[in-house]
PDB file of all heavy atoms in Angstrom:
ATOM      1  N   ARG H 648       7.957   7.818  -2.923  1.00  0.00           N
ATOM      2  CA  ARG H 648       6.729   8.556  -2.761  1.00  0.00           C
ATOM      3  C   ARG H 648       5.911   8.429  -4.009  1.00  0.00           C
ATOM      4  O   ARG H 648       6.358   8.384  -5.064  1.00  0.00           O
ATOM      5  CB  ARG H 648       7.048  10.034  -2.581  1.00  0.00           C
ATOM      6  CG  ARG H 648       7.953  10.419  -1.491  1.00  0.00           C
ATOM      7  CD  ARG H 648       7.209  10.491  -0.211  1.00  0.00           C
ATOM      8  NE  ARG H 648       8.142  10.907   0.939  1.00  0.00           N
ATOM      9  CZ  ARG H 648       8.563  10.116   1.914  1.00  0.00           C
ATOM     10  NH1 ARG H 648       8.412   8.867   1.797  1.00  0.00           N
ATOM     11  NH2 ARG H 648       9.281  10.658   2.902  1.00  0.00           N
ATOM     12  N   ASN H 649       4.671   8.203  -3.829  1.00  0.00           N
ATOM     13  CA  ASN H 649       3.668   8.085  -4.995  1.00  0.00           C
ATOM     14  C   ASN H 649       2.815   9.261  -5.002  1.00  0.00           C
ATOM     15  O   ASN H 649       1.846   9.381  -4.157  1.00  0.00           O
ATOM     16  CB  ASN H 649       2.839   6.765  -4.928  1.00  0.00           C
ATOM     17  CG  ASN H 649       1.974   6.608  -6.048  1.00  0.00           C
ATOM     18  OD1 ASN H 649       2.107   7.326  -7.067  1.00  0.00           O
ATOM     19  ND2 ASN H 649       0.991   5.633  -5.953  1.00  0.00           N
ATOM     20  N   ARG H 650       3.059  10.123  -5.943  1.00  0.00           N
ATOM     21  CA  ARG H 650       2.259  11.421  -6.118  1.00  0.00           C
ATOM     22  C   ARG H 650       1.393  11.192  -7.290  1.00  0.00           C
ATOM     23  O   ARG H 650       0.764  12.253  -7.795  1.00  0.00           O
ATOM     24  CB  ARG H 650       3.126  12.558  -6.264  1.00  0.00           C
ATOM     25  CG  ARG H 650       4.148  12.789  -5.158  1.00  0.00           C
ATOM     26  CD  ARG H 650       3.468  13.302  -3.955  1.00  0.00           C
ATOM     27  NE  ARG H 650       4.454  13.682  -2.939  1.00  0.00           N
ATOM     28  CZ  ARG H 650       4.487  13.092  -1.736  1.00  0.00           C
ATOM     29  NH1 ARG H 650       3.470  12.247  -1.337  1.00  0.00           N
ATOM     30  NH2 ARG H 650       5.312  13.429  -0.809  1.00  0.00           N
ATOM     31  N   THR H 651       1.129  10.105  -7.908  1.00  0.00           N
ATOM     32  CA  THR H 651       0.270   9.827  -9.015  1.00  0.00           C
ATOM     33  C   THR H 651      -1.113   9.484  -8.502  1.00  0.00           C
ATOM     34  O   THR H 651      -1.316   9.249  -7.383  1.00  0.00           O
ATOM     35  CB  THR H 651       0.819   8.672  -9.918  1.00  0.00           C
ATOM     36  OG1 THR H 651       0.585   7.391  -9.299  1.00  0.00           O
ATOM     37  CG2 THR H 651       2.280   8.857 -10.303  1.00  0.00           C
ATOM     38  N   THR H 652      -2.021   9.441  -9.513  1.00  0.00           N
ATOM     39  CA  THR H 652      -3.357   9.043  -9.250  1.00  0.00           C
ATOM     40  C   THR H 652      -3.587   7.582  -9.334  1.00  0.00           C
ATOM     41  O   THR H 652      -4.763   6.983  -9.172  1.00  0.00           O
ATOM     42  CB  THR H 652      -4.409   9.786 -10.097  1.00  0.00           C
ATOM     43  OG1 THR H 652      -4.127   9.548 -11.393  1.00  0.00           O
ATOM     44  CG2 THR H 652      -4.438  11.225  -9.774  1.00  0.00           C
ATOM     45  N   SER H 653      -2.520   6.815  -9.536  1.00  0.00           N
ATOM     46  CA  SER H 653      -2.511   5.306  -9.680  1.00  0.00           C
ATOM     47  C   SER H 653      -1.858   4.728  -8.410  1.00  0.00           C
ATOM     48  O   SER H 653      -1.009   5.321  -7.803  1.00  0.00           O
ATOM     49  CB  SER H 653      -1.805   4.876 -10.907  1.00  0.00           C
ATOM     50  OG  SER H 653      -2.326   5.488 -12.029  1.00  0.00           O
ATOM     51  N   THR H 654      -2.180   3.446  -8.192  1.00  0.00           N
ATOM     52  CA  THR H 654      -1.447   2.648  -7.246  1.00  0.00           C
ATOM     53  C   THR H 654      -0.154   2.246  -7.750  1.00  0.00           C
ATOM     54  O   THR H 654       0.005   1.885  -8.946  1.00  0.00           O
ATOM     55  CB  THR H 654      -2.356   1.351  -6.835  1.00  0.00           C
ATOM     56  OG1 THR H 654      -3.567   1.877  -6.307  1.00  0.00           O
ATOM     57  CG2 THR H 654      -1.568   0.512  -5.813  1.00  0.00           C
ATOM     58  N   ALA H 655       0.893   2.402  -6.878  1.00  0.00           N
ATOM     59  CA  ALA H 655       2.266   2.027  -7.297  1.00  0.00           C
ATOM     60  C   ALA H 655       2.666   0.773  -6.544  1.00  0.00           C
ATOM     61  O   ALA H 655       2.503   0.778  -5.373  1.00  0.00           O
ATOM     62  CB  ALA H 655       3.291   3.188  -7.045  1.00  0.00           C
ATOM     63  N   THR H 656       3.111  -0.261  -7.271  1.00  0.00           N
ATOM     64  CA  THR H 656       3.628  -1.380  -6.579  1.00  0.00           C
ATOM     65  C   THR H 656       5.206  -1.460  -6.889  1.00  0.00           C
ATOM     66  O   THR H 656       5.532  -1.485  -8.013  1.00  0.00           O
ATOM     67  CB  THR H 656       2.939  -2.677  -7.147  1.00  0.00           C
ATOM     68  OG1 THR H 656       1.594  -2.587  -6.930  1.00  0.00           O
ATOM     69  CG2 THR H 656       3.539  -3.869  -6.320  1.00  0.00           C
ATOM     70  N   VAL H 657       5.936  -1.415  -5.873  1.00  0.00           N
ATOM     71  CA  VAL H 657       7.471  -1.334  -5.919  1.00  0.00           C
ATOM     72  C   VAL H 657       7.963  -2.723  -5.586  1.00  0.00           C
ATOM     73  O   VAL H 657       7.414  -3.415  -4.792  1.00  0.00           O
ATOM     74  CB  VAL H 657       8.001  -0.218  -5.033  1.00  0.00           C
ATOM     75  CG1 VAL H 657       7.560   1.086  -5.491  1.00  0.00           C
ATOM     76  CG2 VAL H 657       7.711  -0.369  -3.586  1.00  0.00           C
ATOM     77  N   PHE H 658       9.039  -3.057  -6.261  1.00  0.00           N
ATOM     78  CA  PHE H 658       9.644  -4.415  -6.138  1.00  0.00           C
ATOM     79  C   PHE H 658      11.166  -4.288  -5.747  1.00  0.00           C
ATOM     80  O   PHE H 658      11.798  -3.365  -6.088  1.00  0.00           O
ATOM     81  CB  PHE H 658       9.523  -5.123  -7.544  1.00  0.00           C
ATOM     82  CG  PHE H 658       8.099  -5.393  -7.970  1.00  0.00           C
ATOM     83  CD1 PHE H 658       7.364  -4.409  -8.527  1.00  0.00           C
ATOM     84  CD2 PHE H 658       7.580  -6.680  -7.642  1.00  0.00           C
ATOM     85  CE1 PHE H 658       6.070  -4.755  -8.915  1.00  0.00           C
ATOM     86  CE2 PHE H 658       6.290  -6.956  -8.078  1.00  0.00           C
ATOM     87  CZ  PHE H 658       5.521  -5.982  -8.698  1.00  0.00           C
ATOM     88  N   THR H 659      11.601  -5.290  -5.054  1.00  0.00           N
ATOM     89  CA  THR H 659      12.932  -5.262  -4.669  1.00  0.00           C
ATOM     90  C   THR H 659      13.953  -5.721  -5.684  1.00  0.00           C
ATOM     91  O   THR H 659      15.173  -5.389  -5.562  1.00  0.00           O
ATOM     92  CB  THR H 659      13.145  -6.265  -3.421  1.00  0.00           C
ATOM     93  OG1 THR H 659      12.731  -7.575  -3.896  1.00  0.00           O
ATOM     94  CG2 THR H 659      12.375  -5.912  -2.256  1.00  0.00           C
ATOM     95  N   GLU H 660      13.527  -6.217  -6.793  1.00  0.00           N
ATOM     96  CA  GLU H 660      14.361  -6.657  -7.935  1.00  0.00           C
ATOM     97  C   GLU H 660      14.041  -6.025  -9.145  1.00  0.00           C
ATOM     98  O   GLU H 660      12.870  -5.580  -9.340  1.00  0.00           O
ATOM     99  CB  GLU H 660      14.222  -8.176  -8.109  1.00  0.00           C
ATOM    100  CG  GLU H 660      14.708  -9.006  -6.741  1.00  0.00           C
ATOM    101  CD  GLU H 660      16.103  -8.758  -6.282  1.00  0.00           C
ATOM    102  OE1 GLU H 660      16.986  -8.551  -7.151  1.00  0.00           O
ATOM    103  OE2 GLU H 660      16.343  -8.741  -5.100  1.00  0.00           O
ATOM    104  N   PRO H 661      14.968  -5.977 -10.147  1.00  0.00           N
ATOM    105  CA  PRO H 661      14.710  -5.477 -11.523  1.00  0.00           C
ATOM    106  C   PRO H 661      13.514  -6.320 -12.122  1.00  0.00           C
ATOM    107  O   PRO H 661      13.380  -7.500 -11.760  1.00  0.00           O
ATOM    108  CB  PRO H 661      15.963  -5.579 -12.248  1.00  0.00           C
ATOM    109  CG  PRO H 661      17.015  -5.711 -11.270  1.00  0.00           C
ATOM    110  CD  PRO H 661      16.290  -6.342  -9.986  1.00  0.00           C
TER     111      PRO H 661
END
Side-chain angles (χ1 to χ4, degrees):
R648 302 279 187 257
N649 183 12
R650 303 286 186 237
T651 72
T652 57
S653 301
T654 298
T656 304
V657 298
F658 295 83
T659 57
E660 300 299 326

